[in-house]
Amino acid sequence: MATHKPAELTRTTEDAHGGTAAGWRVAAASALGLACGPSVLTVMSFGAFIKPLDREFGWGVPAIAAAASVLSITIMIISPVQGLLVDRFGGRRVVLWSSPFFGLSLMAMYFLPGSLSVYYVAWIVIPVCGLGLWPVSYLRLTAGWFDRRLGLALGVANSGIGVGTVLVPILTATLIGAFGWRAAFLGLGVVALLAFPVAFFLLAEPSPRTTDVQVSGDTLRVAATRRPFWLVLAAFLLLGAIGSSIIVHQIPLMQDAGISQNIANLVPVALGLALIVARIATGWLLDRFTVSVVMSFHLLGGVVAVLLFAAGPNVATALIAAALAGLLIGAEFDVLSYLIPRYFGRLSFGKIYGVTFAMFQVGGAIAASAVSISRDSYGTYTPAMLTLAFVCMVCTGLFMNLGPYRHQVVRP
């Protein structure tokens, strides 16, 4: 049975700045945890290991890069499991369980033998060991402390991924250059272990004694009977396709346009910096405008970005496109974390987030391959980028049809 009360209005004990000291501490700690979590340490470092592994084992770039699909599929499978565990045991406990295993799994890559099968299995084991460290654990914790400033708090927490997106590729390249790829995995494992003391000393579960935020709303089964649930799933399937296509293909796309490899490798920094800005700015905007308005604004920027990529960018337009793409990609999970409490309540936050995140991964896995096939078929990225512009517009329509919030905060 759902415990949702239609049109329920929730009043919190947030202070004049829209939160409590404990709540903001949790948001900041969540940012630190996400900066050294698997969303960054696996995804953003992956590409740096491709050439070193190829030089040592001779597996070939396509075979090594295929592990990225293994990683995406594994994340897709485990995301609903994580959501269930977080709803049942709380985010802090799940983070504490996972962080030692995740750090050790990265360190174990030091001993990787010359077997491609073992390499693929490793990219199943690593995300499973990091089961509790994907964003929903931290975001559910943060959301439990806030209502009136929920958007900004989630933006602060999510900014950790943006910071990691900028710093981890630099750290990984430096470690590989100085000590080799095996030692680089050891270094990343050490960084991963930082999540444990952060969680132990700084994360705290909200309770009726510390906050008046109501843990009520729809079960996953009831949410699935509502139209907004399916609109959200469809929208995030498309957002996964857009973001993955840009992140995976932006460098070869720029090289096709005649931009040198050294410069092309630096352009994604603009995306990473925009992603940091987007995390905070989107959170601030969500406290003032509806999800539909905020995402329509970002998706318009996404249309401009992919059209610039379709035209064959020069350095200046590539930087503009990367920045606009970073604003869109940076907004996605602020928006998901915010819309769940507003449309479905907080009761099944983890489960709904996990299912939606799985759909996001499906979109990413399909689109990254589809864009590669399109590039090989047409000899250019232009048709794929034009298709993504259309996808952005369809996604805008999905968000515009979500309707009004069902759980609205009372503003003072």
Side-chain angles (χ1 to χ4, degrees), residues 170-398:
I170 297 171
L171 172 64
T172 305
T174 301
L175 289 173
I176 292 174
F179 305 107
W181 67 267
R182 293 184 186 273
F185 273 116
L186 288 179
L188 293 179
V190 171
V191 173
L193 292 175
L194 295 175
F196 187 88
V198 168
F200 189 84
F201 292 108
L202 298 177
L203 290 183
E205 296 281 355
S207 72
R209 293 186 301 104
T210 55
T211 177
D212 286 344
V213 175
Q214 300 296 310
V215 182
S216 62
D218 300 333
T219 63
L220 176 60
R221 179 175 296 183
V222 171
T225 67
R226 304 194 189 281
R227 184 166 170 266
F229 179 82
W230 297 102
L231 291 173
V232 169
L233 288 190
F236 276 84
L237 177 74
L238 298 182
L239 286 172
I242 297 164
S244 177
S245 298
I246 293 171
I247 290 173
V248 171
H249 293 284
Q250 61 180 328
I251 291 178
L253 186 153
M254 286 184 282
Q255 290 176 306
D256 278 4
I259 297 174
S260 70
Q261 182 173 352
N262 289 337
I263 295 176
N265 286 338
L266 293 175
V267 170
V269 174
L271 186 149
L273 293 173
L275 194 150
I276 297 172
V277 173
R279 300 292 190 190
I280 304 295
T282 298
W284 185 87
L285 289 170
L286 286 169
D287 289 328
R288 290 157 176 81
F289 303 98
T290 66
V291 162
S292 299
V293 171
V294 173
M295 278 308 294
S296 296
F297 171 78
H298 286 303
L299 283 161
L300 176 61
V303 171
V304 175
V306 294
L307 288 178
L308 289 174
F309 281 136
N314 55 37
V315 174
T317 56
L319 286 170
I320 294 170
L324 289 172
L327 291 174
L328 172 60
I329 294 167
E332 293 162 349
F333 293 108
D334 277 11
V335 168
L336 176 58
S337 306
Y338 188 88
L339 69 80
I340 291 173
R342 293 296 181 240
Y343 284 101
F344 311 110
R346 302 165 190 265
L347 181 66
S348 297
F349 184 105
K351 297 184 189 73
I352 296 171
Y353 188 106
V355 170
T356 310
F357 191 64
M359 290 299 295
F360 182 88
Q361 294 297 326
V362 170
I366 293 172
S369 297
V371 171
S372 293
I373 293 170
S374 175
R375 165 65 179 80
D376 290 342
S377 298
Y378 294 101
T380 175
Y381 279 102
T382 298
M385 293 298 110
L386 292 175
T387 301
L388 286 180
F390 176 73
V391 170
C392 285
M393 291 186 284
V394 172
C395 198
T396 301
L398 293 172

Side-chain angles (χ1 to χ4, degrees), residues 43-119:
V43 177
M44 300 312 301
S45 69
F46 185 90
F49 290 99
I50 293 177
K51 288 187 177 179
L53 289 172
D54 187 37
R55 285 194 296 267
E56 178 151 345
F57 298 122
W59 292 333
V61 171
I64 296 170
S69 295
V70 175
L71 175 63
S72 292
I73 292 169
T74 305
I75 296 169
M76 177 189 71
I77 294 170
I78 67 174
S79 292
V81 178
Q82 183 196 7
L84 186 152
L85 292 174
V86 167
D87 282 342
R88 182 169 182 178
F89 298 107
R92 181 177 183 272
R93 188 178 299 178
V94 175
V95 169
L96 290 172
W97 286 349
S98 298
S99 56
F101 292 105
F102 176 59
L104 291 173
S105 70
L106 286 176
M107 291 181 179
M109 291 292 281
Y110 179 90
F111 302 101
L112 182 69
S115 167
L116 192 58
S117 298
V118 173
Y119 174 68

